[in-house]
Amino acid sequence: MIKPNDHVFVTDQILDVASAYSVVKNSVINAEDPGAVVVFVGLVREFDNHLSSGRLQILRLQHYPELTEASIAEVIGQARERWVLGTVLVQHRVGDLRPADEIVVVAVTSKHRAQAFEAARFLMDKLKTDVMLWKRVLNTDEAQWVAFKDSDAKASSAW
């Protein structure tokens, strides 16, 4: 279950990493005995082996808002069952993204750095496989729908 100090944002706007950090950092000021803030930022890669050229021009992420947000909240709830966390923030971008665009921000606070790092890694592994997003990679010559990779499934199932 997510808590009132958890934040889930799904947007087609450019992600503001500094603002995400500020949200979790400000929550630490009011928290009891905070010790760590971990922020992970995922970027769109230019190389994509689903395209014959190997070069992505656009990553198109489609979603159904209620399902996407609910599945992110579910993943946050799973993280909370495993670790003692303060604030958890997940921002995920949808729409058309280009190489080097920020696609996701995960920020976690905890009393201990190990828990914060592990929770952030768990969240990313689960976001890659358990969140309702549909990905399509495009360049000038082709477009392909993309399923999550076997390596993503393996990382997610390891938890």
Side-chain angles (χ1 to χ4, degrees):
M1 168 176 278
I2 67 171
K3 296 197 173 192
N5 57 335
D6 293 332
H7 305 273
V8 175
F9 302 105
V10 179
T11 181
D12 62 357
Q13 302 298 306
I14 294 171
L15 298 180
D16 185 345
V17 178
S19 176
Y21 176 74
S22 181
V23 166
V24 296
K25 178 68 165 90
N26 288 337
S27 74
V28 166
I29 293 168
N30 299 318
E32 184 179 315
D33 196 25
V37 176
V38 170
V39 179
F40 172 83
V41 179
L43 304 176
V44 176
R45 293 183 191 149
E46 181 180 10
F47 178 77
D48 192 285
N49 61 5
H50 295 94
L51 298 168
S52 59
S53 71
R55 297 289 178 209
L56 173 136
Q57 291 177 326
I58 294 174
L59 172 62
R60 181 167 293 152
L61 286 170
Q62 296 176 305
H63 76 303
Y64 183 75
E66 291 81 9
L67 285 176
T68 304
E69 291 170 11
S71 59
I72 292 172
E74 174 66 26
V75 170
I76 291 172
Q78 292 171 13
R80 287 198 167 283
E81 291 173 6
R82 292 173 167 265
W83 297 280
V84 177
L85 304 174
T87 298
V88 178
L89 176 143
V90 174
Q91 290 183 351
H92 211 298
R93 192 154 167 215
V94 294
D96 286 359
L97 292 86
R98 302 198 181 285
D101 282 352
E102 290 91 357
I103 189 172
V104 65
V105 177
V106 170
V108 178
T109 69
S110 181
K111 290 183 180 186
H112 306 285
R113 72 177 183 271
Q115 289 185 4
F117 275 111
E118 288 175 12
R121 184 172 174 201
F122 171 88
L123 287 162
M124 276 311 306
D125 286 346
K126 292 295 183 179
L127 289 172
K128 301 262 304 188
T129 58
D130 295 5
V131 171
M132 299 297 187
L133 291 166
W134 295 271
K135 296 180 182 182
R136 192 164 190 176
V137 292
L138 301 97
N139 65 22
T140 55
D141 300 326
E142 62 184 312
Q144 300 287 332
W145 289 103
V146 177
F148 56 81
K149 298 180 273 188
D150 290 338
S151 59
D152 294 333
K154 184 177 179 181
S156 181
S157 67
W159 293 103

